[in-house]
Amino acid sequence: MLPLLAERTSRHLERSPKSPKYLCLRDAIIELIVEGHLNEGTRLPTEQALAAALPVSLGTIQKALRELVESGELHRRRRLGTFVAGGDHRREITTPAFHFIRPDGARVRMVFIHLLKRQHVPGSGAWSRILGECAGGYVHLIRQDRIDGAFDCHTEIYLRTDMAASLLEAEAEALEHESILPLLETQGRITLSHAENHLRMVRLPRAVARVMLPRQESSTPPGLRLETFYRLEDGTTVAWQVMHIPANDYSLSLNTGLR
């Protein structure tokens, strides 16, 4: 395993030379887990053994492993070592309307999604004005999206139940390992045509800031509000997504055509 991990780590370092080295190592480990080279329950070599075999320092290894433990990819057993955790480890989340770019220009491929809340919304509100009247009501999802291990975004998604009711019964884990719209497309529920992005600077809402920036002294720090409207070919809006993004060094690449 060590030679393969060393080769993957070197590849990531070469491809993204200005990215933090611990992110390159983290991405290499996740790749090997997803591809089946590191199966559930596999014990990783000691940090000293990894440092002797990999082109990164012991401190870099410790930081990468700590992040993977915090995100649930790995787990530690006292006095026994670090092991590959169970579950779905796919982390290359497809965002059809936009994606983040690291300061060095490399595209972000690792997004860690945590589903905070899922509910059925029967009444009217801004969502019904945007999505149109729906007798069955609407699906409302609230997520915390950790971008590249660097910062957290707060995301709310509203969808019509006549197209997305299955999301209310889906396993939470499924909603944390794939973007919602591609998931519905895969199920044959919808066929997206295009998206419209609205981006503006705002003061982050207090409730959002408490989740995203718990140590922030200011209750309303500045950030971005990205609204995305996903539409069918006939112009029908099937999903409305609102993402609050804190100040960071990353860039956003927006895409309107989804086909």
Side-chain angles (χ1 to χ4, degrees), residues 86-90 115 118 170-178:
D88 190 338
H89 296 273
R90 289 175 298 121
L115 184 64
R118 169 175 47 180
E171 293 290 338
E173 187 178 41
L175 304 183
E176 294 182 337
H177 289 86
E178 182 56 275

Side-chain angles (χ1 to χ4, degrees), residues 215-237:
R215 299 177 184 175
Q216 178 74 36
E217 293 183 4
S218 171
S219 59
T220 57
L224 294 175
R225 176 186 169 97
L226 173 62
E227 288 187 82
T228 305
F229 305 85
Y230 292 95
R231 298 194 170 109
L232 304 179
E233 190 171 358
D234 63 4
T236 300
T237 302

Side-chain angles (χ1 to χ4, degrees), residues 193-231:
S193 173
H194 61 281
E196 181 178 327
N197 290 303
H198 295 181
L199 184 65
R200 62 189 175 94
M201 293 188 66
V202 297
R203 287 281 175 180
L204 297 176
R206 292 183 181 179
V208 170
R210 281 199 297 269
V211 174
M212 294 167 48
L213 305 166
R215 299 177 184 175
Q216 178 74 36
E217 293 183 4
S218 171
S219 59
T220 57
L224 294 175
R225 176 186 169 97
L226 173 62
E227 288 187 82
T228 305
F229 305 85
Y230 292 95
R231 298 194 170 109

Side-chain angles (χ1 to χ4, degrees), residues 44-45 47 50 61-70 73-85:
L44 269 62
E47 293 175 352
L50 289 170
I61 292 168
Q62 291 171 335
K63 190 170 184 178
L65 295 182
R66 184 165 57 249
E67 173 135 342
L68 288 168
V69 169
E70 291 176 355
E73 312 307 310
L74 305 176
H75 66 92
R76 288 189 167 125
R77 298 178 188 170
R78 185 176 176 82
R79 298 181 181 177
L80 293 178
T82 304
F83 299 81
V84 177

Side-chain angles (χ1 to χ4, degrees), residues 100-112:
F100 290 90
I101 300 174
R102 288 178 180 168
D104 68 341
R107 176 171 174 168
V108 169
R109 298 188 180 279
M110 297 298 167
V111 178
F112 299 86

